[in-house]
Amino acid sequence: MDTTQKRYRMLKTLPGSRNGIKVETFTKGETYSLNPELAEQFYHEAAIEEVTGSPADAREKKVTGPTETKAGEAGVDLSTQNVEELVALARDTYGLDVDTTMGEAALRALIEQAESAEDDATAKKTKKRK
């Protein structure tokens, strides 16, 4: 008994058994890995066609990466992109409690305050070392 399985697309919906005990329904349009014995039965009923290539090649919808926007980050709406970048900068770099509902001007002001406070702290440390 040959145990190698190939992939087949069903051309008709038919019942069949992979192991000779449990019967299952093989649905038209779906792709299945079948043992040679079951494939031969379906072949004689003109119910299958062999699928070549990888399973990804057989998909109707191909998986693609994120779409690149014309002026920037992938998948980010251009009208909110700048605000989202400012929010990320404020949260990740300065630990500020901000969100995307804030205006661009308010975010920039908070970031500038945090930058100047950081610069003042750095300047004080430098003076102490001298």
Side-chain angles (χ1 to χ4, degrees), residues 15-66:
S17 178
R18 296 176 193 261
N19 60 8
I21 298 171
K22 181 182 174 192
V23 176
E24 60 185 289
T25 301
F26 293 85
T27 308
K28 178 182 177 179
E30 296 294 317
T31 303
Y32 300 94
S33 293
L34 303 175
N35 61 42
E37 292 79 18
L38 183 56
E40 185 177 352
Q41 290 174 9
F42 285 152
Y43 176 77
H44 288 297
E45 295 185 40
I48 60 170
E49 66 181 0
E50 188 173 349
V51 176
T52 57
S54 75
D57 294 337
R59 286 191 202 119
E60 285 185 31
K61 288 191 174 191
K62 303 291 184 205
V63 177
T64 61

Side-chain angles (χ1 to χ4, degrees), residues 71-96:
E73 295 292 320
V76 177
D77 181 45
L78 287 176
S79 64
T80 62
Q81 179 178 350
N82 201 28
V83 170
E84 289 178 1
E85 289 174 350
L86 290 172
V87 167
L89 175 68
R91 283 183 181 165
D92 300 342
T93 305
Y94 301 107
L96 300 174

Side-chain angles (χ1 to χ4, degrees), residues 1-6 35-37:
M1 181 167 99
D2 189 3
T3 59
T4 58
Q5 294 193 352
K6 294 182 181 177
N35 61 42
E37 292 79 18

